[in-house]
Amino acid sequence: MSNFTVQHSLADLGAPFSEPCNPTPVAAPQWLAFNAELAAELCLPQQYWHSDDGLAVFSGNTVPDWASPLAHAYAGHQFGHFVPQLGDGRALLLAEVLSADNQRFDIQLKGAGQTPFSRRGDGRAPLGPVLREYLVSEAMHALGVPTTRALAAVLTGDWVQRETAEPGAILTRVASSHIRIGSFQYLAARGDHAQLKTFADYVINRHYPECASEANPYLALLAAVVAAQAKLIAKWMSMGFIHGVMNTDNMSIAGETIDYGPCAFMDSFNPAQVYSFIDTQGRYAWGNQPRIASWNLARFAETLLPLLTEQPEQAVELATAVLQDFNGLNEAEFLHLMAAKIGIVTATDTDEVLIRDLLNLMSANNADFSQSFRLLSHSVSDINAGAAVLFADKQGWTSWAKKWQQRLATQGIALIKVSQQMDNTNPALIARNHLVAEAIKQATEQADLTLFNRLQQALAKPYTLSDANADFALPPQPQQLVKNTFCGT
Ligand code: AMP
Ligand code: MG
């Protein structure tokens, strides 16, 4: 294994971007999960692999000599309302490390105690949200969606008081960085342009180095983040994923999915679907995600205005033009991804209609999102097979399926190949809400990790369905349906 290489670039920037802060020790740590595959990618020394040394570090009981723990400062619009100071209230960056292929990653503890940004929070995380983030973030990674990852999960041996007392836990999160739109908003709200510039230069150097040589590096940074987010949201939507809390403090500058709170994969398709019980207005519904991402990016653009040009009006013009690219980029990516889901290699404008018609048919028939696409590969040459069972409206299905088969025929690709390609595109297994909820329940109420472990293993190979995992592919029975998910606070 190559060398474990540690950096502290954010710590080196100092205040006001972060504040040094040590984790608070816990009573009696125990392992819940350790991600050996990720540990290998990060060249983490074997000393820490599922060992007592690792448990001490990932519970916050020991600060290893390679760590320089800090809490990052950020602000954010939460459900549209600006909060000038949020920050890492229950998370601590331990260190940045270089992976085997020389990429830089943050290693962060989530739930390791209070920080200067905790406000009235306890800095802790209950077991349920930790297991949820572990399962769902790793499932997203296996689906090829840019995301933060989970390196470790441990029980603390302490209780965390929420509505009831819950076992405390800590997640070790890995990300290409934890810098958010809110990080820029924090600096902009302080009104110090020199600090803002320092930070923007840091982010360009860290995430988008190609922007440095552009005529206007900060405008190029905006364009790069717009493009990354446009693609990310299209990916979410093509998987039936609802983030649930797209506040600007939860939108990563690197374009990764971050903050797995009330997130969920949809069961039956409904574009207005929301799972978060606090999202009463449907602000973060499945179909609203592009609009919200675009709104969030406008907040990001506002922070950059003083760096774009000295002329305020011209700065707004420049930023507006870049922001306007979001919809086109997002729609093109969504079309490309959705076309692939129905076996179309090169999407055309008329395919957009075909896709919309299918989505409408799915929502009118309450068809399960993932099953609709997964079973479609069995319908390529027989419209009465595969996905047909999901549509009570037989006429609607037949009429759509005929048009679709005609379209597939124009490609000149053998249908068996099309069908295989579809099975590699449409997951058989997603982190279904009712399964995640049941795994959390068994872990919390009976200290039983069997279902959590089974799910974790199955979701690592989402395109392969084995007999042993067949039950995980099924949509929930009405009595199993989970209608609400809760924030990880
Ligand atoms: P989130 O809803 O997870 O995006 O968190 C929003 C803000 O609340 C962030 O600044 C968090 O650090 C902070 N926060 C959430 N839960 C806690 C907690 N238990 N203790 C301290 N701060 C918290
Ligand atoms: Mg957050």
Side-chain angles (χ1 to χ4, degrees):
M1 188 187 292
S2 47
N3 286 338
F4 182 50
T5 311
V6 179
Q7 297 180 339
H8 299 291
S9 66
L10 187 62
D12 292 345
L13 278 188
F17 313 104
S18 68
E19 294 213 23
C21 177
N22 278 329
T24 307
V26 299
Q30 279 181 55
W31 280 109
L32 289 164
F34 181 75
N35 190 339
E37 178 226 337
L38 180 56
E41 280 176 41
L42 300 176
C43 309
L44 184 76
Q46 293 267 349
Q47 178 192 351
Y48 301 108
W49 287 38
H50 218 290
S51 62
D52 288 348
D53 280 355
L55 187 59
V57 169
F58 299 124
S59 65
N61 278 1
T62 296
V63 177
D65 58 4
W66 47 265
S68 178
L70 63 78
H72 173 49
Y74 56 83
H77 274 92
Q78 299 185 306
F79 289 89
H81 302 287
F82 186 60
V83 184
Q85 184 173 309
L86 290 166
D88 285 334
R90 58 171 160 173
L92 286 172
L93 179 65
L94 284 184
E96 299 149 21
V97 302
L98 291 188
S99 67
D101 57 0
N102 236 16
Q103 307 279 335
R104 198 193 313 180
F105 290 96
D106 279 2
I107 298 186
Q108 192 200 56
L109 301 181
K110 190 170 172 185
Q114 287 180 320
T115 77
F117 304 107
S118 294
R119 294 170 290 158
R120 276 190 239 142
D122 59 2
R124 294 298 184 188
L127 174 60
V130 165
L131 294 181
R132 167 180 284 275
E133 176 154 355
Y134 198 105
L135 279 177
V136 185
S137 66
E138 285 301 304
M140 291 283 270
H141 172 72
L143 290 170
V145 183
T147 178
T148 64
R149 299 197 58 191
L151 177 63
V154 301
L155 272 174
T156 61
D158 295 314
W159 291 94
V160 175
Q161 188 60 41
R162 294 295 180 262
E163 273 175 35
T164 58
E166 296 182 50
I170 298 175
L171 180 85
T172 303
R173 181 161 68 175
V174 170
S176 41
S177 88
H178 288 84
I179 296 164
R180 306 124 193 276
I181 289 181
S183 311
F184 282 82
Q185 290 183 290
Y186 175 74
L187 298 169
R190 291 166 56 97
D192 185 326
H193 293 174
Q195 287 170 346
L196 184 70
K197 183 173 180 307
T198 300
F199 195 68
D201 289 337
Y202 170 78
V203 167
I204 287 174
N205 177 41
R206 180 162 179 179
H207 290 297
Y208 301 103
E210 64 285 359
C211 295
S213 52
E214 293 289 325
N216 189 333
Y218 309 108
L219 194 63
L221 171 64
L222 177 61
V225 177
V226 165
Q229 296 274 338
K231 282 200 164 185
L232 179 70
I233 274 73
K235 280 218 159 188
W236 287 355
M237 293 180 63
S238 77
M239 296 288 174
F241 182 77
I242 301 163
H243 181 281
V245 60
M246 290 172 69
N247 295 332
T248 55
D249 53 307
N250 293 336
M251 300 308 289
S252 141
I253 288 293
E256 291 175 346
T257 314
I258 187 171
D259 223 310
Y260 290 86
C263 62
F265 287 90
M266 255 193 286
D267 296 306
S268 59
F269 178 60
N270 166 15
Q273 183 69 53
V274 169
Y275 286 95
S276 168
F277 82 112
I278 51 172
D279 191 4
T280 47
Q281 309 289 313
R283 180 179 171 92
Y284 300 139
W286 178 84
N288 225 18
Q289 296 182 114
R291 224 156 56 87
I292 291 292
S294 182
W295 189 88
N296 288 340
L297 288 161
R299 306 289 77 77
F300 177 48
E302 282 164 6
T303 71
L304 295 177
L305 291 178
L307 305 181
L308 297 182
T309 156
E310 282 172 12
Q311 247 286 327
E313 277 168 26
Q314 199 198 348
V316 172
E317 266 172 40
L318 290 171
T320 305
V322 170
L323 287 169
Q324 277 168 352
D325 290 339
F326 178 88
N327 284 345
L329 291 168
N330 176 255
E331 280 160 20
E333 182 70 6
F334 185 68
L335 177 62
H336 167 72
L337 294 171
M338 295 305 287
K341 287 174 84 73
I342 63 169
I344 295 169
V345 179
T346 311
T348 64
D349 288 347
T350 46
D351 294 328
E352 204 175 328
V353 181
L354 199 60
I355 291 161
R356 290 284 155 212
D357 286 349
L358 175 60
L359 290 174
N360 288 338
L361 197 64
M362 283 163 57
S363 75
N365 288 266
N366 287 322
D368 183 80
F369 186 90
S370 302
Q371 289 250 299
S372 295
F373 292 102
R374 181 70 184 190
L375 295 182
L376 207 53
S377 69
H378 300 282
S379 315
V380 288
S381 50
D382 180 358
I383 45 176
N384 296 314
V389 292
L390 300 175
F391 299 94
D393 170 11
K394 292 293 161 219
Q395 214 187 335
W397 159 256
T398 307
S399 135
W400 182 83
K402 278 188 178 157
K403 278 187 234 155
W404 169 61
Q405 287 186 342
Q406 282 164 10
R407 172 67 178 96
L408 291 184
T410 65
Q411 296 194 112
I413 305 172
L415 288 178
I416 179 84
K417 277 207 144 180
V418 172
S419 161
Q420 280 164 359
Q421 177 266 326
M422 289 171 70
D423 281 346
N424 292 330
T425 307
N426 298 311
L429 299 170
I430 50 156
R432 287 193 186 270
N433 249 331
H434 68 291
L435 298 174
V436 174
E438 183 59 27
I440 289 172
K441 186 164 179 259
Q442 292 180 12
T444 309
E445 292 176 9
Q446 291 140 39
D448 182 353
L449 291 172
T450 315
L451 182 57
F452 170 79
N453 288 329
R454 264 192 73 207
L455 262 178
Q456 203 190 307
Q457 275 181 9
L459 293 171
K461 294 197 173 67
Y463 299 100
T464 324
L465 194 58
S466 68
D467 288 345
N469 297 331
D471 54 331
F472 290 162
L474 300 175
Q477 297 292 317
Q479 75 279 7
Q480 292 177 307
L481 203 63
V482 174
K483 296 204 174 94
N484 282 149
T485 51
F486 297 89
C487 275
T489 43

